[in-house]
Amino acid sequence: MVSHSELRTLFCAADAVCFDVDSTVIREEGIDELAKFCGVEEAVSEMTRRAMGGAVPFRAALAERLALIRPSREQVQRLLAEHPPHLTPGVRELVSRLKERGVQVFLISGGFRSIVEHVASKLNIPAANVFANRLKFYFNGEYAGFDETQPTAESGGKGKVIKFLKEKFHFKNIVMIGDGATDMEACPPADVFIGFGGNVIRQPVKDNAKWYITDFVELLGALEE
């Protein structure tokens, strides 16, 4: 059993840190915000709750929710313009501090690339370090499905991305930070998982994460020790 102090040491020695986005880096669930914007909020947030609890295979839950929302390209653009996502307090400072230490920072999300890239730009994270799902649109901008070949479109997808990063960049020590079941199951291949409950507490994650935080200040403090 790895002790808490060993986990802190591993975090401080990480050469890459991967963040989940929805309810972790940002305060909202992107897919729920899109559903609200498109007028189908209630049905979709119930599906999100079941998916985040690990009760439904991720790809099935994603397809089900998107079939209800059917967002157009214009609706996605208007959502970002009128209701941009809010960064979680402390995340900007944490990402800056990690980058100062030479740590590579990645965003790995089951949400949508168009929204996640917007978040990445706020944190000065290059688009090449973003792994998320791609919405597809017809020429007229209407919803045409999503790219099912993306690893983030399936259960276990975040772990596949981390395995790919390890093989490509030869990282020795990757940390995954997130609020949901799909984040926790990415360790292994991640070397450390840190559960985050600053926006929403998922009980199975809180109960099973060896390190659980509710404020990014705790991680900033660990880096300063």
Side-chain angles (χ1 to χ4, degrees):
M1 188 74 166
V2 184
S3 71
H4 194 262
S5 65
E6 284 172 309
L7 286 173
R8 289 171 80 89
T9 302
L10 284 168
F11 169 66
C12 294
D15 40 15
V17 174
C18 300
F19 288 88
D20 168 54
V21 177
D22 295 335
S23 298
T24 300
V25 169
I26 62 173
R27 305 197 70 139
E28 304 87 352
E29 281 289 322
I31 196 163
D32 288 352
E33 293 303 303
L34 192 54
K36 189 189 300 181
F37 195 73
C38 296
V40 287
E41 176 189 11
E42 209 166 296
V44 169
S45 42
E46 176 52 34
M47 287 181 190
T48 297
R49 269 195 297 278
R50 287 191 295 132
M52 292 305 292
V56 183
F58 187 81
R59 189 199 299 268
L62 182 62
E64 252 183 273
R65 290 178 289 176
L66 281 171
L68 268 178
I69 304 169
R70 302 194 63 78
S72 68
R73 183 187 277 118
E74 186 206 359
Q75 283 173 316
V76 175
Q77 290 167 346
R78 278 179 46 219
L79 172 69
L80 286 171
E82 296 172 24
H83 303 281
H86 298 91
L87 291 176
T88 299
V91 75
R92 194 190 295 275
E93 296 78 2
L94 178 58
V95 169
S96 295
R97 189 76 190 92
L98 288 167
K99 288 167 77 176
E100 280 168 19
R101 293 166 68 99
V103 178
Q104 288 272 1
V105 178
F106 297 87
L107 300 182
I108 307 178
S109 173
F112 308 120
R113 192 172 183 95
S114 43
I115 296 173
V116 176
E117 282 188 348
H118 177 86
V119 174
S121 69
K122 287 186 174 185
L123 297 169
N124 296 313
I125 294 170
N129 286 22
V130 170
F131 294 85
N133 289 315
R134 293 178 186 273
L135 292 170
K136 298 199 291 195
F137 303 101
Y138 293 112
F139 286 118
N140 64 0
E142 287 182 7
Y143 175 67
F146 64 99
D147 181 355
E148 299 197 25
T149 67
Q150 294 297 316
T152 47
E154 60 185 323
S155 298
K158 291 180 181 180
K160 286 181 180 170
V161 172
I162 290 172
K163 183 171 181 286
F164 164 77
L165 293 175
K166 279 192 160 183
E167 288 168 358
K168 183 176 180 182
F169 297 108
H170 307 291
F171 292 133
K172 300 279 188 296
N173 182 4
I174 295 190
V175 174
M176 179 74 207
I177 301 171
D179 68 292
T182 60
D183 307 307
M184 188 163 61
E185 70 183 14
C187 179
D191 300 279
V192 176
F193 169 67
I194 301 171
F196 183 71
N199 293 310
V200 60
I201 290 175
R202 318 271 183 205
Q203 203 60 43
V205 178
K206 185 179 183 185
D207 292 345
N208 292 292
K210 295 185 178 75
W211 188 0
Y212 193 81
I213 64 168
T214 54
D215 197 319
F216 286 125
V217 166
E218 186 173 334
L219 298 185
L220 277 163
L223 294 175
E224 303 306 329
E225 284 172 4

